[in-house]
């Protein structure tokens, strides 16, 4: 044992923090079991555990989502760590990073600030010696390889279940519902949104949903194929009739398009259209890589009508040559000054961004062919598409809340500003969450200097960029001059004073109050 590991009783115990993590790979790695082994190690080595960082139910593939490990690293970097060592069960609990250097990097951050990391269940001391360094490197690679092998086995099993006609994850979608069956394929019970099976031998299939949803799906196909209505026209029609999607959101061109091109509506079970293995880059796979089982579920759309819709969608893009597509993209760039998947999808007479990805391999490749170099990171194109779907729902809920307190709201169709009681203007901004390389979270907010709304409602999203994290009610008179805001998890009183978990403070601010006349 090294001299800096064993502490003499005279010097007193060394203050230490413990880090525990539990995924779902094995029960023996429960945080309680880890803490027991760590406690025994601390007693032998004269450590006093003064702080615990615990990530429960978190994957070790990367640091994203592991709030406790990110907090540990942040405390160490900020110099606020009140301990001299970090105790971890073993190297795999520190992380199954796919790049072993990432695991070493986080350990180096601690060691560089005088805080040693101890792996309590490993058969070597992490003392910097050649044998321990070699063993540690091997263990790091083995931890990452375990996840790679497990991912391959899980994927093979999922593919087999797909060919047998079982659903593998994800919501059912409008017009369909998930249903639980046992290993003998006998029906058990419907699964509501957010519910999951509890027995490993149970399986999930898709079944027709409510009659009104089924009829709406069939109507979408008739409007598109027979009446030749566009996706946007259908969405506008449904919204004007007060219809909402299965998750209570307004209809959009993208939602209609998804219904028109998804084979599940004719009963086909298709998997592996998109890959996101080991939480790496999202990849859109070619059709030859798809795994499918035709006729796995009960169809709710006539196959002939579905095929006719696919012909229209295909011909819409096929009748344009590559030069035609690039010329349209060039013209769009000239009129907007910038390009994005969101901008492309909002132009009615323009092929969708999916058509450009299909024809040229990616949006970025299409941009390069017209000489456009985007200044933004296009890993977030899919996130922006999701933001476009979230924004109308956020605005609708904000308007409903204001009207519930007796307020009058008018939406300026040109600027999208909300004009409340003909006096106060509101702008609603969705702020996407981005994780830095060390795992801290950041949000970027642009305040529109051309509109100068009285209050900008910033809706910050969680790392999944779907769930709302919190709100900031920013008065223009105080923060408008900044133009752009870079926000973190903690922003100081000058910004966090405007933070709120909900919109009740906004409604209170906008509520009309009667004034009593002085006698």
């Amino acid at each position: 044992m090294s001299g800096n590991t064993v502490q003499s009783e005279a010097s007193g115990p060394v203050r230490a923090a413990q880090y525990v993590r539990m995924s779902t790979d094995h029960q023996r790695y429960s945080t309680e079991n880890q803490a027991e082994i760590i406690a025994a190690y601390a007693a032998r080595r004269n450590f006093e555990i003064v702080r615990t960082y615990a990530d429960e139910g978190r994957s070790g593939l990367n640091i994203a989502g592991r709030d406790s490990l990110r907090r540990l690293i942040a405390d160490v970097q900020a110099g606020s760590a009140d301990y001299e060592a970090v105790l971890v069960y073993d190297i795999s609990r520190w992380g199954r990073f796919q790049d072993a250097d990432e695991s070493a990097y986080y350990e180096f951050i601690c060691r560089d600030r005088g805080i040693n990391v101890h792996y309590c269940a490993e058969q070597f001391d992490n003392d910097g010696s050649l044998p321990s360094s070699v063993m540690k490197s091997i263990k790091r690679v083995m931890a990452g390889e375990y996840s790679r092998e497990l991912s391959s086995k899980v994927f093979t099993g999922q593919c087999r279940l797909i060919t047998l006609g079982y659903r593998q994850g994800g919501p059912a979608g409008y017009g369909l519902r998930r249903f639980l069956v046992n290993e003998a394929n006998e029906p058990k019970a419907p699964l509501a949104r957010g519910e999951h099976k509890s027995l490993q031998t149970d399986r999930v299939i898709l079944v027709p949903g409510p009659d009104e949803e089924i009829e709406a799906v069939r109507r979408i196909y008739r409007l598109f194929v027979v009446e030749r209505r566009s996706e946007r026209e259908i969405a506008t029609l449904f919204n004007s009739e007060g219809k909402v999607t299965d998750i209570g959101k307004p209809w959009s061109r993208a939602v209609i398009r998804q219904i028109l091109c998804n084979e599940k509506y004719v009963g086909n079970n298709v998997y592996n259209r998109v890959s996101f293995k080991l939480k790496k880059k999202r990849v859109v796979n070619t059709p030859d890589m798809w795994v499918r089982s035709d006729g796995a579920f009960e169809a709710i759309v006539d196959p002939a009508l579905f095929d006719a819709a696919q012909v229209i969608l295909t011909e819409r893009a096929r009748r344009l040559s590559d030069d035609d597509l690039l010329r349209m993209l060039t013209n769009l760039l000239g009129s907007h000054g910038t390009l994005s998947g969101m901008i492309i999808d909002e132009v009615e007479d323009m092929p969708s961004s999916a058509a450009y990805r299909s024809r040229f391999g990616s949006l970025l490749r299409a941009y390069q062919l017209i000489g456009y170099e985007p200044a933004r990171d296009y890993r977030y194109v899919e996130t922006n598409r999701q933001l476009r779907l979230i924004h109308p729902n956020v605005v609708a809920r904000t308007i409903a809340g204001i009207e519930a307190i007796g307020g009058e709201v008018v939406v300026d169709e040109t600027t999208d500003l909300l004009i409340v009681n003909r006096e106060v203007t509101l702008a609603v901004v969705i702020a996407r969450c981005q994780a830095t390389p060390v795992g801290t979270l950041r949000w970027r907010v642009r305040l529109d200097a051309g509109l100068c709304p009285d209050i900008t409602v910033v809706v910050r999203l969680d790392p999944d960029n779907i769930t709302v994290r919190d709100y900031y009610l920013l008065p223009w008179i105080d923060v408008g001059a900044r133009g752009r805001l870079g926000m973190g998890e903690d922003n100081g009183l000058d910004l966090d004073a405007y933070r709120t978990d909900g919109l009740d403070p906004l409604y209170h601010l906008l509520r009309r109050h009667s004034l009593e006349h002085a006698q």
Side-chain angles (χ1 to χ4, degrees):
M1 297 182 183
S2 63
N4 63 351
T5 302
V6 181
Q7 308 297 327
S8 67
E9 294 296 333
S11 62
V14 175
R15 295 171 64 85
Q18 65 174 341
Y19 173 74
V20 294
R21 178 183 68 82
M22 180 186 71
S23 56
T24 56
D25 55 352
H26 209 287
Q27 182 59 39
R28 68 188 173 96
Y29 284 134
S30 71
T31 53
E32 293 84 358
N33 290 344
Q34 293 173 55
E36 183 177 341
I37 299 299
I38 292 173
Y41 180 94
R44 293 195 307 271
R45 304 296 183 97
N46 197 28
F47 288 110
E48 178 189 4
I49 299 175
V50 298
R51 191 170 303 279
T52 296
Y53 298 88
D55 281 318
E56 298 191 6
R58 297 298 182 182
S59 166
L61 292 174
N62 54 43
I63 201 169
R66 296 168 64 183
D67 294 340
S68 290
L69 180 58
R70 291 193 292 107
R71 189 163 60 252
L72 186 156
I73 298 299
D75 289 346
V76 170
Q77 289 180 313
S80 58
D82 56 350
Y83 42 82
E84 301 173 46
V86 174
L87 309 184
V88 189
Y89 178 82
D90 66 7
I91 285 177
S92 71
R93 296 304 91 193
W94 187 248
R96 297 189 185 277
F97 299 100
Q98 297 305 288
D99 185 342
D101 289 342
E102 185 175 359
S103 178
Y105 170 68
Y106 298 129
E107 182 180 328
F108 172 77
I109 290 176
C110 297
R111 190 171 65 250
D112 187 50
R113 286 157 178 80
I115 299 175
N116 290 325
V117 177
H118 296 257
Y119 301 109
C120 304
E122 300 290 3
Q123 300 303 308
F124 61 87
D125 285 325
N126 190 18
D127 56 6
S129 64
L130 178 60
S132 71
S133 297
V134 172
M135 285 299 299
K136 187 165 58 173
S137 297
I138 293 173
K139 290 273 191 169
R140 283 171 176 159
V141 173
M142 289 173 60
E145 185 60 27
Y146 171 86
S147 292
R148 283 189 285 270
E149 291 181 357
L150 181 62
S151 174
S152 178
K153 292 176 182 177
V154 169
F155 177 73
T156 301
Q158 288 175 325
C159 291
R160 177 178 175 275
L161 292 175
I162 287 294
T163 59
L164 293 176
Y166 299 120
R167 179 77 170 176
Q168 291 299 296
Y174 189 81
L176 298 169
R177 293 296 185 268
R178 298 179 303 145
F179 205 93
L180 199 63
V181 298
N182 62 20
E183 66 270 24
N185 217 35
E186 297 169 336
K188 292 185 66 175
L191 283 176
R193 186 173 183 86
E195 291 183 342
H196 304 281
K197 66 174 188 172
S198 57
L199 299 179
Q200 190 173 7
T201 54
D202 286 345
R203 299 288 178 252
V204 178
I205 62 173
L206 292 184
V207 298
D211 291 341
E212 61 270 19
E213 289 190 18
I214 295 174
E215 176 54 34
V217 170
R218 292 170 177 169
R219 184 185 176 197
I220 288 172
Y221 276 86
R222 291 194 299 269
L223 289 169
F224 185 74
V225 174
V226 179
E227 299 187 23
R228 293 304 177 104
R229 301 281 193 96
S230 69
E231 296 97 312
R232 186 180 302 282
E233 288 175 329
I234 298 172
T236 301
L237 176 62
F238 275 30
N239 287 331
S240 69
E241 295 175 352
K243 297 182 183 295
V244 294
T245 66
D246 55 318
I247 56 176
K249 294 184 178 181
W251 290 87
S252 67
R253 179 178 185 253
V255 174
I256 298 294
R257 176 64 177 264
Q258 192 276 333
I259 290 177
L260 287 170
C261 65
N262 200 311
E263 293 185 45
K264 64 187 177 184
Y265 291 103
V266 290
N268 295 343
N269 198 18
V270 183
Y271 182 66
N272 200 41
R273 284 183 285 197
V274 176
S275 298
F276 190 52
K277 295 179 181 178
L278 296 173
K279 299 193 175 182
K280 291 187 176 180
K281 182 179 179 181
R282 182 180 185 274
V283 177
V284 179
N285 295 322
T286 55
D288 61 291
M289 297 177 64
W290 297 358
V291 181
R292 62 187 308 122
S293 174
D294 293 342
F297 313 123
E298 181 181 346
I300 65 172
V301 172
D302 183 88
L305 197 60
F306 179 85
D307 291 340
Q310 306 321 297
V311 170
I312 293 172
L313 293 172
T314 302
E315 289 301 321
R316 180 190 292 173
R318 181 179 297 168
R319 65 173 178 261
L320 298 172
S321 66
D322 289 358
D323 290 340
D324 290 334
L325 289 174
L326 294 176
R327 183 169 56 254
M328 296 177 72
L329 200 60
T330 301
N331 293 338
L332 185 62
L333 174 62
S335 61
H336 282 73
T338 186
L339 291 175
S340 71
M342 181 164 54
I343 292 174
I344 294 171
D345 287 339
E346 292 302 326
V347 179
E348 185 61 52
D349 296 328
M350 188 93 173
S352 68
S353 58
Y356 279 93
R357 280 193 294 270
S358 175
R359 183 72 67 89
F360 299 105
S362 69
L363 278 177
L364 190 57
R365 174 58 180 160
Y367 296 160
Q368 291 171 344
L369 290 174
I370 65 171
Y372 173 60
E373 294 293 335
R376 53 178 293 190
D377 187 343
Y378 269 81
R379 290 175 298 176
Y380 301 110
V381 168
E382 293 300 324
T383 301
N384 285 337
R385 183 177 294 110
Q386 184 66 42
L387 296 185
R388 190 177 71 239
L389 298 177
I390 293 174
H391 190 271
N393 188 46
V394 173
V395 172
R397 285 193 287 109
T398 304
I399 293 175
I402 296 172
E403 291 177 340
I405 62 170
E408 175 191 345
V409 184
V410 175
V411 180
D412 188 314
E413 298 295 338
T414 303
T415 64
D416 286 333
L417 288 181
L418 307 184
I419 305 174
V420 182
N421 297 329
R422 303 180 184 180
E423 298 171 339
V424 181
T425 55
L426 303 180
V428 180
V429 176
I430 305 291
R432 182 184 62 219
C433 180
Q434 301 180 36
T436 68
V438 297
T440 57
L441 303 181
R442 292 289 182 268
W443 293 263
R444 294 180 180 177
V445 180
R446 184 179 67 85
L447 304 174
D448 200 324
L451 300 178
C452 301
D454 296 315
I455 298 174
T456 298
V457 181
V458 177
V459 185
R460 296 204 311 178
L461 300 181
D462 272 332
D464 61 7
N465 280 314
I466 297 176
T467 309
V468 174
R469 181 188 185 94
D470 54 21
Y471 303 84
Y472 280 72
L473 310 180
L474 304 179
W476 185 264
I477 192 172
D478 287 346
V479 299
R482 302 189 191 187
R484 290 179 181 270
L485 296 176
M487 303 177 72
E489 296 174 79
D490 296 302
N491 303 285
L493 188 60
D494 61 333
L495 275 182
D496 285 346
Y498 301 111
R499 181 191 168 282
T500 173
D501 290 325
L503 290 178
D504 286 345
L506 175 68
Y507 303 147
H508 178 76
L509 179 68
L510 297 175
R511 187 190 304 272
R512 289 186 179 275
H513 298 274
S514 59
L515 297 177
E516 296 183 3
H517 293 285
Q519 299 297 325

